[in-house]
Amino acid sequence: MASSRRLLAVTLLAMLVAGAWCAAPVTFTVEKGSDTGSGKKQLAVLVNYDMPGDTMSELEIMQHDADDWVAMTKGEGGLWTFESADPLVGPFNFRYFTTKGMKNVYDSVIPDNYTIGTTYTPEG
Ligand SMILES: *[C@@H]1O[C@H](CO)[C@@H](O)[C@H](O)[C@H]1NC(C)=O
């Protein structure tokens, strides 16, 4: 009992040190410049992170069945882009970090068959 309580304390501490989990509303809109269909290699996403005074500083993407997070590139107008040498396979997971130390991870936000102009909202 005591050891499991200690484990919980250590886990909570680790979460605090790693940065706060953020529950700010976030949406992902697929923008022009994205490829669609099979063989697509480029994804451009506008992220609406609704938290006054805070800014998303890093956005990472993980493809379906991939093991690694890959940083997306922030461009003009806050557009985040990702270009791959190989065809992209969705659904796509996202992870972000903000200037105020917030972060979150969303699974399967954008489906493989996304369409340009569609806004996707993570579940939960
Ligand atoms: C994408 O796939 C899902 C699940 O198969 C389907 O319900 C949806 O209608 C598809 N959307 C488009 C735009 O093709």
Side-chain angles (χ1 to χ4, degrees):
M1 229 26 177
S3 71
S4 74
R5 204 171 307 148
R6 191 174 316 132
L7 184 65
L8 180 64
V10 168
T11 306
L12 288 173
L13 185 64
M15 286 170 71
L16 286 174
V17 169
W21 288 89
C22 184
V26 178
T27 60
F28 298 77
T29 304
V30 178
E31 296 289 332
K32 257 191 307 196
S34 302
D35 296 333
T36 54
S38 59
K40 57 183 174 293
K41 292 185 175 175
Q42 180 149 324
L43 183 61
V45 180
L46 201 57
V47 182
N48 182 30
Y49 172 66
D50 195 8
M51 183 61 88
D54 199 7
T55 308
M56 200 168 281
S57 53
E58 233 176 287
L59 181 66
E60 297 174 330
I61 186 171
M62 195 195 297
Q63 298 183 63
H64 182 64
D65 278 347
D67 294 321
D68 303 314
W69 290 103
V70 182
M72 296 184 76
T73 305
K74 194 177 194 176
E76 252 174 78
L79 192 68
W80 294 89
T81 56
F82 175 58
E83 194 169 359
S84 168
D86 301 310
L88 298 175
V89 181
F92 304 97
N93 311 311
F94 291 92
R95 178 167 80 172
Y96 71 76
F97 302 90
T98 77
T99 51
K100 286 200 168 162
M102 297 294 171
K103 66 173 185 179
N104 214 331
V105 179
Y106 298 115
D107 290 334
S108 303
V109 181
I110 297 180
D112 189 60
N113 64 351
Y114 62 75
T115 52
I116 289 169
T118 303
T119 298
Y120 299 95
T121 305
E123 286 175 31

